[in-house]
């Protein structure tokens, strides 16, 4: 008998009909002889509706009260799901984040899980019941208050429960068939990936792949939780995200593909500090100033200094939302830094190719450069990890770059993928 | 500095605008130098919407899950109210029933308060903050589950908090100006009562007056909590419900009116067991059988036995919802009881006149009989307490009877009352 954690997002439980459909699937998993724990998001638009109400009441809601408000969303969906399952003759109990032992830091809106004490979930399983747990929410022992986990919260709840309960697998139900070699809405011949290592998934999620939240993937990787990303609309297997140290889930020793997928995003801006005196310690000064704005720097490029000027250009990328803060901080220190000009460019995109096979393959970057060159796409910045190469291009060339790389690395399928709409929380 | 508990029902917090209006009133009370604790119901139609969702998902929802579901309603209203108050610059914290220490029995949907441990509410007050508490909900230590209190739950939450915190007054905000001598929708010249003793209020509520829930009045009376029933639309004082042993709140020693109010209801049916052998123990047999159905018997009348037949008729009233169960039980025991016939009549109404002054006045019942006789209304049953006379009449004559008694006992005002619509939970 396996212990399976299943996560259903908001679009999977958008109305009474879909709740019943999800309940049926959960009951089938239970009747197949498995112990089942479910993490569920708020129904469809509930969160947005609650946010709208909050905005009508006050422009800047108190974070504690906003968490209290939003946590009502999962309370509704989990109770409806549990009563629907019970209506099908299978014992089920719903638990709030607090009842399920999701202990977090006290930061409202972005709490981090510090402990999981799922005693009541275990008791429910021991009684043969299905446990339905509110995703996205937790409880701080310090403040004794309800918290929410922020973006990717429900996925993280599911993974954290799977880790704490030593579940056999954590199934993430979504509105697509699994993880694809790239977004099928951009590349119609994208292919579903059957198996992917957790490190590859991590790189893809960090580079903009939306199907799984980076945070949940990190948690799963750290705790050795096997993920199964699959569609809530079909019974087809989806994508298994596995720990390579435990070996391939099918016991296969097939050669890893050099490139597993292509990810992309337009969420960053490029800041260029031009004409910086090329003296030791200048870059450190710049990044100390940027660090004080709490902006997350992603890629950094420093040009070779012009021999005659002894000045250099330093470019880096930051999240779009942080860009203007960073520029302001640098402008305020113009005299100290003694640069010639400051440029801000939010028309950039980042495209990344990811593959564990890259470790043992040579010529991957040459292949990437040629593919982009032949597509007429200029590379503005580059960064690499052991299993990833990311490039910055013009934003309006992003999709062209993705298609060129998808084809160049042999990822194109023979037929087009089916694309669904909508995303969960 | 006084400690004031305020209760706002669902119609007072039906949308963002009314929440802001209520928040403003709460803030004014705080700024006037009082400590304020608020019990709030779910917004307007939320409870009905949640019940509809539940009905779409399963015909008979599991009680535990239904309570979990419904408790989301107050969570939404209390968080919005708290953030609205904070938006006005006054510290406020919302607390669930569980957080506020509303400890109940484990019966879902009709839990009873067994203890109130409002430690967190006190802490909030000590910090100068306003505490917003979810009405209607509690927590069972035995089952460790969320419970709801059932009908009149939010009023009871407010009163229980007022008792536990030794509040100076518990203000029940409603959509009418206070407690009236009778329902202004039936008698347009009904008058608002400025002061009423808790025992009179209890009799009125038990006899069908809707403005306060019997349960909350009982709790207030038992714990000596002074109630102030008032309108959430005006600043006018409403009705003070006071403990007569503590004396009149204005220190007045005015003579009590003989009759304070007239209540009425159509929620009962009359069962008549006709032609019962008039032998000792027969009535006991009948009421033992009725007791097994868990029906609440209200009034009982036994006719004088006919001298020639040695048979008698026994009539009693039960809540409409219990009537058919009671009739079924009595039919099943027809042979044992040896009665001649069984009659069920759901076209009855009950009208009650209540007044503490009745104790020291004679001729009240004569006055009542004459008033009804002159209005051409037949009395079918009578029951009395020390401060109440109730009569059963035909249902279609109820309003006529109420008007006749209201006039006969001098309760009519010179002008007509303003009537609002809607009720809270």
């Amino acid at each position: 008998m396996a212990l399976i954690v299943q996560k259903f997002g908001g679009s999977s439980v958008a109305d009474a009909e879909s709740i019943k459909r999800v309940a049926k699937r959960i009951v089938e998993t239970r009747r197949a002889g498995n112990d089942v724990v479910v993490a569920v998001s708020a129904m469809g638009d509930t969160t947005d509706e609650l946010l709208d109400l909050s905005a009508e009441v006050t422009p800047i809601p108190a974070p504690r009260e906003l968490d209290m408000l939003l946590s009502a969303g999962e309370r509704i969906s989990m109770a409806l799901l549990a009563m629907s399952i019970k209506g099908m003759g299978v014992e089920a109990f719903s638990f709030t984040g607090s009842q399920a032992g999701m202990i977090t830091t006290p930061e409202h809106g972005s709490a981090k899980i510090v402990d999981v004490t799922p005693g009541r979930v275990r008791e429910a399983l021991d009684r043969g019941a299905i446990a339905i747990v509110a995703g996205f929410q937790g409880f701080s022992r310090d403040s004794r208050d309800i918290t929410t986990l922020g973006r990717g919260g429900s996925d993280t709840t599911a993974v954290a429960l799977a880790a704490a309960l030593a579940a056999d697998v954590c199934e993430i139900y979504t509105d697509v068939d699994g993880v694809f070699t790239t977004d099928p809405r951009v590349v119609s011949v994208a292919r579903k990936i059957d198996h992917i290592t957790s490190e590859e998934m991590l790189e893809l999620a960090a580079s903009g792949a939306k199907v799984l939240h980076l945070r949940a993937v990190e948690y799963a990787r750290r705790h050795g939780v096997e993920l199964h990303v699959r569609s809530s609309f079909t019974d087809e297997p989806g994508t298994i995200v596995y720990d390579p140290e435990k070996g391939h889930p099918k016991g296969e020793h097939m050669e890893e593909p050099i490139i597993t997928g292509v990810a992309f995003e337009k969420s960053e801006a490029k800041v260029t500090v031009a004409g910086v005196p090329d003296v030791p310690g200048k870059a450190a000064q710049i990044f100390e100033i940027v660090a004080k704005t709490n902006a997350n720097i992603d890629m950094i490029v420093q040009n070779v200094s012009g021999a005659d000027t002894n000045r250099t250009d330093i470019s880096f990328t930051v999240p779009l939302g942080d860009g203007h803060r960073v520029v302001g901080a640098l402008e305020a220190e113009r005299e100290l830094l003694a640069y010639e000009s400051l440029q801000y460019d939010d028309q950039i995109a980042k495209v990344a190719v990811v593959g564990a096979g890259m470790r043992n393959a040579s010529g991957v970057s040459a292949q990437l450069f040629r593919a982009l060159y032949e597509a007429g796409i200029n590379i503005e910045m580059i960064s690499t990890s052991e299993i990833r190469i990311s490039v910055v291009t013009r934003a309006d060339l992003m999709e062209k770059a993705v298609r060129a790389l998808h084809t160049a690395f042999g990822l194109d399928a023979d037929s087009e993928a089916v694309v669904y709409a909508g995303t969960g929380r």
Side-chain angles (χ1 to χ4, degrees), chain A:
Chain A
M1 195 204 252
L3 169 53
I4 299 178
V5 174
Q6 302 187 321
K7 181 260 172 176
F8 294 93
S11 57
S12 301
V13 291
D15 52 27
E17 276 316 303
S18 24
I19 286 173
K20 284 196 274 188
R21 195 166 41 77
V22 164
K24 198 156 159 277
R25 180 180 276 269
I26 294 168
V27 165
E28 278 164 11
T29 311
R30 174 80 192 98
R31 291 211 166 122
N34 302 293
D35 278 339
V36 188
V37 175
V38 175
V40 66
S41 303
M43 290 170 72
D45 302 326
T46 306
T47 303
D48 288 338
E49 286 164 13
L50 292 174
L51 285 172
D52 287 350
L53 265 177
S54 138
E56 282 180 57
V57 160
T58 183
I60 305 166
R64 178 189 186 274
E65 302 306 327
L66 192 59
D67 274 2
M68 185 69 95
L69 180 71
L70 294 182
S71 68
E74 293 85 32
R75 180 171 281 243
I76 293 170
S77 58
M78 76 184 196
L80 289 170
L81 189 53
M83 64 176 68
S84 179
I85 291 170
K86 283 205 71 160
M88 294 173 187
V90 175
E91 194 66 82
F93 298 97
S94 67
F95 298 107
T96 63
S98 166
Q99 289 175 331
M102 304 296 303
I103 311 299
T104 72
T105 56
E107 290 90 36
H108 289 293
S110 59
K112 283 167 200 65
I113 295 171
V114 290
D115 196 7
V116 182
T117 55
R120 294 196 69 180
V121 174
R122 268 195 204 286
E123 281 172 37
L125 295 177
D126 290 346
R127 292 171 58 177
I130 292 167
I132 312 290
V133 177
F136 184 67
Q137 58 180 242
F139 174 78
S140 160
R141 280 186 188 132
D142 299 333
S143 66
R144 292 173 301 166
D145 282 332
I146 306 301
T147 54
T148 63
L149 306 178
R151 270 181 66 81
S154 290
D155 283 4
T156 309
T157 299
V159 173
L161 279 169
L165 296 164
D168 295 276
V169 62
C170 177
E171 298 181 341
I172 308 283
Y173 284 88
T174 171
D175 45 14
V176 292
D177 287 338
V179 181
F180 279 70
T181 49
T182 195
D183 188 334
R185 281 169 294 196
V186 168
V187 179
S188 60
V189 289
R191 278 188 297 111
K192 193 192 78 189
I193 301 169
D194 292 331
H195 300 91
I196 186 170
T197 65
S198 51
E199 57 178 353
E200 287 172 315
M201 192 64 238
L202 202 60
E203 291 280 11
L204 283 176
S207 301
K210 295 281 184 297
V211 62
L212 274 179
H213 285 278
L214 177 59
R215 186 173 172 191
V217 179
E218 277 175 339
Y219 202 108
R221 182 166 154 75
R222 203 160 55 244
H223 293 84
V225 174
E226 181 175 304
L227 299 176
H228 185 179
V229 184
R230 57 191 306 191
S231 165
S232 59
F233 297 98
T234 73
D235 286 325
E236 296 299 309
T239 302
I240 304 279
V241 184
Y242 67 99
D243 180 348
E245 291 183 17
K246 292 188 184 166
H248 193 284
K250 295 269 180 198
E252 291 168 17
H253 293 282
M254 47 199 259
E255 208 164 314
E256 288 166 321
I258 293 172
I259 299 300
T260 306
V262 182
F264 53 87
E265 59 185 335
K266 283 185 188 165
S267 62
E268 297 189 348
K270 182 171 73 169
V271 176
T272 302
V273 192
V276 178
D278 194 5
V279 295
K282 193 51 79 177
Q285 257 182 349
I286 289 174
F287 291 111
E288 275 159 21
I289 289 162
V290 174
K292 281 187 193 144
T293 69
N294 282 323
N296 270 326
I297 292 176
D298 183 19
M299 293 162 81
I300 301 177
V301 171
Q302 179 166 1
N303 289 357
V304 177
S305 175
D308 48 344
T309 61
N310 262 339
R311 286 185 178 265
T312 184
D313 298 341
I314 295 178
S315 295
F316 54 87
T317 62
V318 289
L320 278 173
D322 296 336
H324 289 284
R325 217 167 61 237
V326 169
V327 169
L330 291 171
E331 270 175 354
E333 299 290 350
R334 182 163 202 149
E335 277 189 51
L336 173 73
L337 298 174
Y339 55 79
E340 290 172 345
S341 72
L342 204 55
Q343 290 144 30
Y344 178 74
D345 178 359
D346 59 7
Q347 293 303 310
I348 61 158
K350 205 173 68 175
V351 178
V353 296
V354 171
M358 212 186 276
R359 278 200 192 90
N360 312 310
S362 60
V364 175
S365 41
Q367 207 176 341
L368 177 140
F369 294 148
R370 171 149 299 276
L372 292 178
Y373 167 74
E374 284 174 358
I377 293 161
N378 193 35
I379 298 173
E380 303 187 15
M381 298 171 89
I382 300 176
S383 88
T384 59
S385 81
E386 222 186 346
I387 63 166
R388 172 186 51 78
I389 305 176
S390 305
V391 298
V392 165
T393 68
R394 283 294 91 199
D396 56 2
L397 295 176
M398 180 184 78
E399 298 197 357
K400 194 176 181 192
V402 171
R403 278 189 288 268
L405 293 173
H406 199 266
T407 303
F409 287 104
L411 298 175
D412 291 359
D414 297 334
S415 62
E416 299 197 353
V418 181
V419 180
Y420 310 95
T423 53
R425 156 160 118 183

